Amino acid sequence: MDGKGKRWKNFRFETKAIHSGQIPHDNTGGVTQAIFPSSTYRVGFPGDESGYVYSRWSNPTRSALEEILADLENGSHAFAFASGLSALNAVLDLLKSGDHVVAVDDLYGGTRRLFERLMRNFGLDFSYVDGTDPANFEKAVKPNTKLFWFETPTNPLLKLVDIKAVSAIAKKHNILTAVDNTFATPYIQRPLELGADIVHHSVSKYLGGHCDVIGGALVVNNEELAERLRFNQYAVGGVLDPFQAWLVIRGLKTLHLRMERHSVNAMKVVEYLETVDLVDKIYFPGIDGKAIPNGMTMPGGMLSFTIKADFETVKKFAMATQVFILAESLGGVESLINHPASMTHASIPKDVREANGITDGLVRLSVGVEHHDDLVSDLTNAFAAIKAVPVSR
Ligand SMILES: *Cc1c(COP(=O)(O)O)cnc(C)c1O
């Protein structure tokens, strides 16, 4: 439930990350948010003002997390879901059969799968554009366009979308703008401040931050949208459970510390990659020390690069690291390495993949918060391992 106070709204990010939404436990004075597993709540108990009825509708631990997320994104309301995809699904539930969505072409694979393999069955239509030029969104607008959906930075090519410009185009045409802010996090970028209507998160990534939660969230700054999303939680029920919510609350307390270190480590890794002969392109928001446009305050921990070698050799490289764990997902304290051509994007025909820039040589890193010298040595060893192997054709 809302109304536990906007007591932390005007504090700085780091203070809100630690204090927002936290209600000291009345009976014990415990300084951290309690986990409330109760599914149902006694009606009319003495002094009952909580408004809690049934935990699909609202739950005290989930409410605490939702209040923190609203404060961190500078929104009025947040809603926590069972996964990033179920949060996305709740956004699509705002639409009707016959509506059209414009999305960026470089998208999380599961997002495109939900659009194409499920939502098309319900009469929604989707177009994909290169989001680096805001005009491409406008060109794709049809009379029935109701939603712009994009990530920035995008996955896995780290393209940047100008949130302000795209939101302005959307307003002109009465279209909702939803930004998947999973890669940047609110510490680095706050889309609602730039004109977006909805912020989306997979909290499974940086917000949870320890690769031990699956969850999602939406944040808005608009009473009517909030009412519709609250109804969605109640009517559809894809909500985050209290224990997972508590883990995210715990993770958020160090988000600012982690993002600072992720960014510094990623910059160190990029500096190193720039010296490696086998490396061709590097995709990174802060590349070449250029100012990061678009309201981002630092580059974050995600980067991709291409190795001048064939499919098998690049796969071998990705399996030769020790600190970087070969795994999907991202945003945890541990560094991860991903070879899209053999992992996340393996099911896409090679020519389609390559047309979208996902070449055999592409490697994606989620740079963790280990010591950066160990990360660089780890990559050095992996390059040495593939240099020793003759490139087979
Ligand atoms: C992981 C991810 C999702 C999906 O979130 P889940 O929590 O896995 O359902 C959506 N968007 C982006 C950018 C992601 O990285």
Side-chain angles (χ1 to χ4, degrees):
M1 291 276 125
D2 307 317
K4 278 187 308 210
K6 304 291 174 202
R7 295 170 304 164
W8 298 97
K9 248 200 159 12
N10 297 325
F11 285 78
R12 290 175 180 78
F13 188 95
E14 296 82 346
T15 310
K16 292 192 284 191
I18 291 167
H19 293 287
S20 274
Q22 310 278 305
I23 308 285
H25 201 282
D26 290 345
N27 299 330
T28 66
V31 299
T32 61
Q33 174 63 44
I35 302 173
F36 289 90
S38 197
S39 61
T40 190
Y41 300 83
R42 197 164 78 191
V43 175
F45 71 93
D48 174 17
E49 277 150 14
S50 71
Y52 292 106
V53 177
Y54 185 62
S55 277
R56 168 163 34 77
W57 197 342
S58 61
N59 166 281
T61 314
R62 196 174 89 226
S63 299
L65 170 62
E66 290 169 342
E67 188 168 328
I68 302 165
L69 290 172
D71 281 359
L72 294 184
E73 287 283 4
N74 269 340
S76 57
H77 301 80
F79 301 90
F81 291 85
S83 68
L85 287 180
S86 69
L88 163 59
N89 199 82
V91 174
L92 298 172
D93 283 347
L94 297 169
L95 307 179
K96 290 197 305 288
S97 173
D99 287 349
H100 173 244
V101 178
V102 180
V104 285
D105 52 9
D106 196 35
L107 267 184
Y108 177 72
T111 298
R112 194 184 277 252
R113 182 170 57 225
L114 179 56
F115 287 174
E116 293 298 321
R117 293 183 54 187
L118 280 173
M119 288 302 155
R120 276 201 189 274
N121 297 338
F122 291 90
L124 293 184
D125 186 20
F126 299 90
S127 302
Y128 301 94
V129 299
D130 177 354
T132 53
D133 181 358
N136 291 339
F137 280 89
E138 188 142 40
K139 281 183 213 146
V141 168
K142 303 182 192 179
N144 57 339
T145 305
K146 293 288 156 56
L147 176 70
F148 287 166
W149 177 276
F150 58 92
E151 302 164 12
T152 181
T154 64
N155 178 28
L157 297 177
L158 290 306
K159 294 191 206 171
L160 300 181
V161 179
D162 184 336
I163 299 174
K164 214 172 186 171
V166 174
S167 302
I169 293 167
K171 292 235 150 55
K172 219 166 64 186
H173 297 275
N174 216 6
I175 293 167
L176 283 176
T177 303
V179 179
D180 182 337
N181 203 26
T182 300
F183 272 32
T185 82
Y187 186 58
I188 291 184
Q189 164 176 279
R190 289 183 288 280
L192 296 177
E193 293 175 358
L194 300 168
D197 299 295
I198 302 173
V199 173
H200 168 273
H201 281 285
S202 167
V203 307
S204 322
K205 314 295 168 49
Y206 286 106
L207 303 194
H210 297 74
C211 288
D212 54 9
V213 176
I214 295 290
L218 300 174
V219 190
V220 299
N221 216 347
N222 170 300
E223 194 57 54
E224 189 229 324
L225 272 176
E227 205 44 60
R228 296 176 69 192
L229 293 171
R230 189 180 291 118
F231 179 76
N232 185 285
Q233 286 194 320
Y234 173 59
V236 180
V239 295
L240 194 65
D241 81 74
F243 183 61
Q244 305 279 307
W246 183 82
L247 282 173
V248 181
I249 291 171
R250 180 179 156 119
L252 283 172
K253 289 176 199 275
T254 55
L255 178 65
H256 51 290
L257 301 173
R258 289 185 283 108
M259 294 317 293
E260 297 271 355
R261 181 59 74 89
H262 283 299
S263 295
V264 169
N265 280 1
M267 288 189 273
K268 296 274 185 195
V269 168
V270 166
E271 268 169 36
Y272 163 70
L273 290 173
E274 283 174 333
T275 69
V276 178
D277 289 343
L278 274 174
V279 171
D280 190 6
K281 285 201 184 82
I282 301 173
Y283 303 94
F284 182 60
I287 197 84
D288 299 333
K290 273 187 232 136
I292 306 160
N294 196 24
M296 286 174 77
T297 54
M298 56 184 73
M302 297 302 298
L303 66 98
S304 297
F305 61 98
T306 56
I307 301 178
K308 290 178 237 168
D310 63 14
F311 181 88
E312 287 305 325
T313 309
V314 177
K315 214 167 122 183
K316 201 161 274 159
F317 172 86
M319 291 195 295
T321 53
Q322 175 181 344
V323 185
F324 282 91
I325 303 166
L326 184 64
E328 301 200 1
S329 198
L330 59 110
V333 289
E334 53 285 279
S335 292
L336 302 180
I337 185 167
N338 175 24
H339 180 219
S342 68
M343 295 168 66
T344 39
H345 295 71
S347 61
I348 304 172
K350 188 177 153 103
D351 52 330
V352 179
R353 245 199 302 117
E354 302 227 321
N356 286 321
I358 322 273
T359 58
D360 287 350
L362 188 73
V363 171
R364 189 189 78 182
L365 301 181
S366 170
V367 180
V369 298
E370 300 95 338
H371 197 288
H372 55 78
D373 286 345
D374 287 333
L375 298 178
V376 168
S377 314
D378 198 39
L379 295 171
T380 307
N381 292 340
F383 279 117
I386 60 165
K387 268 186 192 149
V389 178
V391 176
S392 57
R393 291 282 161 195

